[in-house]
Amino acid sequence: MNAIGLDLGTTTLSALVLDGESGKVLCAKSVPHQGGLEPDVPGGRLQDPVKIGDMALALAGQLAAEWGNIGALGLTGQMHGIVYLDPRGRAVSPLYTWQDGRGGLPLDGGTWAQALSQASGYPMATGFGLTTHYWLAKNRLTPPGAASLATLADYVGLRLTGRTRPLMHVSNAASLGLFDLDAGDWDRAALDRAGLDGALLPPATGQCALLGRWEGIPVACAIGDNQASFIGGVRDMENGLLVNMGTGGQVSALAGQTAALENCERRPLGEGRFILAGSSLCGGRAYALLEGFLRSCAALAGCSVPSLYEAMNQAALPALDLADLWQVDTRFCGARRQPHLRGSFQGVGADNFDAAHLLGGALLGMARELRDLYGEMLTAGAPAAGQMVGSGNALRRNPALRLAFERTFQLPMVIPAHLEEAAFGAALFALTASGLAPTLAQAQRLIVYQAPAPEAG
């Protein structure tokens, strides 16, 4: 049996067809959805859920018609955002995305997110679904006729199955905020303290559960994209950690009996398990900033080139073996809990003031920022990993960056053979929910890795 995995991203819909016996990706497609709308407030970030839903259903239908023998369909997508639904499960609002900024608007000398944090006792951030809901509710802007709220992927699940009310996996529910991780349910007391009506919140499940059927195909409840990527990338969750380098960076590892963490989040994976996630705001963008800087230096000499990435990548591997590299702090965009932090360069002298020493130091700095977050996880009691899984274009396309991570983490890195880890993880989750795989761990045995990165020399 084959399985479809569908990932509803912020700008792109990604889908694949997975052979449930061999683990081979039979087909993968990505479609830009351009679902944006004009913002309704300063900082508002809205998308059209109906338009995106139409495209998602069309993409799933195309894959099912082309490949057939589909035994399960899994969903994942952008977390934190919300859309309001009427009693029939139809959207009655735009999608307020994870990038929405109304929680950061001023209120009584602070922000709406800070006010909700103080009232509820939970650390709430701008962009969290219930922070957005708090602003809308207090400003009497909750859509008339709203009977429930959902993430985008939950909404698409209703479109597929004909359900009228979501069944929200804990990985999505926790991303909205005011969710008791240990109880696996909404914190009704916190909602009451904040003056929010809990009737809009759907039931939550921690199981590999089915929503219903679409064209006779079992459809699993949607899962968060961070958890889907972890499931779809880390074959041995007990012994592996996932690092992702896109525009931002992220390190995720299975949580043990961990104490509270200052800079990392504990996120539910389901079935009583959790992952820890730590994020760098700059991530792969640090390399892009370095490319722009070097290009501006070339422009001073009258050289105009469209890109220096190829030259940088060629120079990067030998640069890592240079002595006395720059010590580069790549927090050029700040940190999640310290947004006003900025990057820095240290250890620069007359004998290493050149592009190669800067390049090698920057690569190690990108890796070190995530290694510091992983170190916090270990200090708090997370189990040490024996293998590192890399995902994201920055790691796939740059062997030197992979090597910088291996040296910094002192762990071997493997790269999944498939490109869309989140869609792949959603497909594995669906195979389990439909009974085609007895457990999620057995479904993950389908993951195949590329050959290891080359060593410098």
Side-chain angles (χ1 to χ4, degrees):
M1 279 287 188
N2 301 327
I4 292 175
L6 187 59
D7 178 17
L8 312 171
T10 306
T11 59
T12 304
L13 302 180
S14 300
L16 56 77
V17 179
L18 170 67
D19 185 324
E21 294 183 0
S22 69
K24 180 180 179 181
V25 174
L26 303 175
C27 175
K29 294 187 177 182
S30 294
V31 182
H33 60 65
Q34 298 178 341
L37 298 170
E38 291 295 321
D40 57 336
V41 297
R45 294 291 185 273
L46 309 178
Q47 290 184 339
D48 184 342
V50 176
K51 177 180 177 180
I52 298 173
D54 289 344
M55 295 182 67
L57 265 65
L59 182 56
Q62 179 184 0
L63 293 177
E66 289 178 359
W67 291 94
N69 197 31
I70 306 296
L73 186 146
L75 293 163
T76 186
Q78 50 175 295
M79 300 159 64
H80 306 301
I82 54 169
V83 56
Y84 292 92
L85 310 174
D86 69 10
R88 296 175 61 182
R90 299 176 302 187
V92 291
S93 77
L95 169 68
Y96 301 91
T97 74
W98 64 276
Q99 296 173 316
D100 193 88
R102 69 196 70 224
L105 295 176
L107 175 68
D108 298 334
T111 67
W112 285 87
Q114 290 170 342
L116 178 56
S117 299
Q118 184 174 4
S120 67
Y122 280 76
M124 297 294 290
T126 299
F128 281 16
L130 292 189
T131 302
T132 302
H133 174 56
Y134 181 71
W135 187 93
L136 291 165
K138 297 302 182 182
N139 286 280
R140 302 181 184 275
L141 293 173
T142 305
S148 62
L149 56 79
T151 70
L152 176 62
D154 291 312
Y155 164 69
V156 171
L158 301 191
R159 293 276 304 269
L160 286 164
T161 62
R163 285 177 65 111
T164 58
R165 188 169 175 82
L167 175 62
M168 191 175 288
H169 191 261
V170 291
S171 57
N172 272 327
S175 76
L176 303 186
L178 306 187
F179 191 83
D180 187 327
L181 295 178
D182 296 314
D185 202 357
W186 307 102
D187 190 328
R188 304 291 171 178
L191 289 164
D192 289 342
R193 291 194 297 269
L196 294 176
D197 181 7
L200 288 173
L201 301 177
T205 179
Q207 304 303 310
C208 288
L210 288 179
L211 276 181
R213 291 179 178 269
W214 167 68
E215 304 291 340
I217 298 170
V219 177
C221 63
I223 57 176
D225 56 1
N226 177 207
Q227 290 88 337
S229 294
F230 191 76
I231 291 169
V234 183
R235 186 166 58 202
D236 180 3
M237 292 195 296
E238 302 291 339
N239 189 48
L241 64 89
L242 177 71
V243 293
N244 178 275
M245 291 298 283
T247 302
Q250 189 170 67
V251 56
S252 305
L254 198 66
Q257 297 298 319
T258 53
L261 292 96
E262 181 179 358
N263 298 300
C264 302
E265 297 178 37
R266 186 167 67 114
R267 296 178 175 177
L269 190 61
E271 299 180 338
R273 294 181 298 177
F274 297 86
I275 59 174
L276 297 172
S279 300
S280 60
L281 298 184
C282 209
R285 187 183 175 196
Y287 200 65
L289 291 172
L290 179 57
E291 190 271 345
F293 168 73
L294 294 175
R295 202 156 23 87
S296 71
C297 293
L300 290 175
C303 300
S304 178
V305 292
S307 171
L308 284 175
Y309 285 118
E310 184 176 350
M312 289 168 60
N313 291 348
Q314 290 178 357
L317 274 172
L320 288 175
D321 284 329
L322 293 174
D324 200 20
L325 292 173
W326 292 23
Q327 299 163 32
V328 182
D329 182 339
T330 56
R331 292 178 293 182
F332 305 122
C333 303
R336 178 157 293 186
R337 298 291 175 87
Q338 297 173 289
H340 301 297
L341 280 179
R342 290 297 178 263
S344 64
F345 305 95
Q346 296 184 19
V348 184
D351 57 346
N352 69 348
F353 204 141
D354 57 53
H357 283 83
L358 166 60
L359 180 58
L363 292 174
L364 292 174
M366 293 164 66
R368 186 167 52 249
E369 187 174 356
L370 290 186
R371 176 59 181 82
D372 288 346
L373 292 169
Y374 177 55
E376 182 179 330
M377 298 176 188
L378 295 176
T379 301
Q387 184 183 68
M388 175 170 45
V389 179
S391 70
N393 286 334
L395 288 167
R396 289 182 178 277
R397 297 174 179 174
N398 192 341
L401 183 59
R402 298 202 296 271
L403 183 57
F405 267 84
E406 288 188 326
R407 291 182 177 180
T408 303
F409 279 75
Q410 296 185 349
L411 287 172
M413 176 181 285
V414 292
I415 304 288
H418 51 275
L419 295 176
E420 300 292 344
E421 288 89 354
F424 195 96
L428 295 181
F429 186 89
L431 286 172
T432 308
S434 65
L436 293 175
T439 66
L440 191 56
Q442 285 194 266
Q444 288 175 286
R445 294 178 184 176
L446 295 174
I447 297 172
V448 176
Y449 295 120
Q450 297 178 358
E455 179 62 73

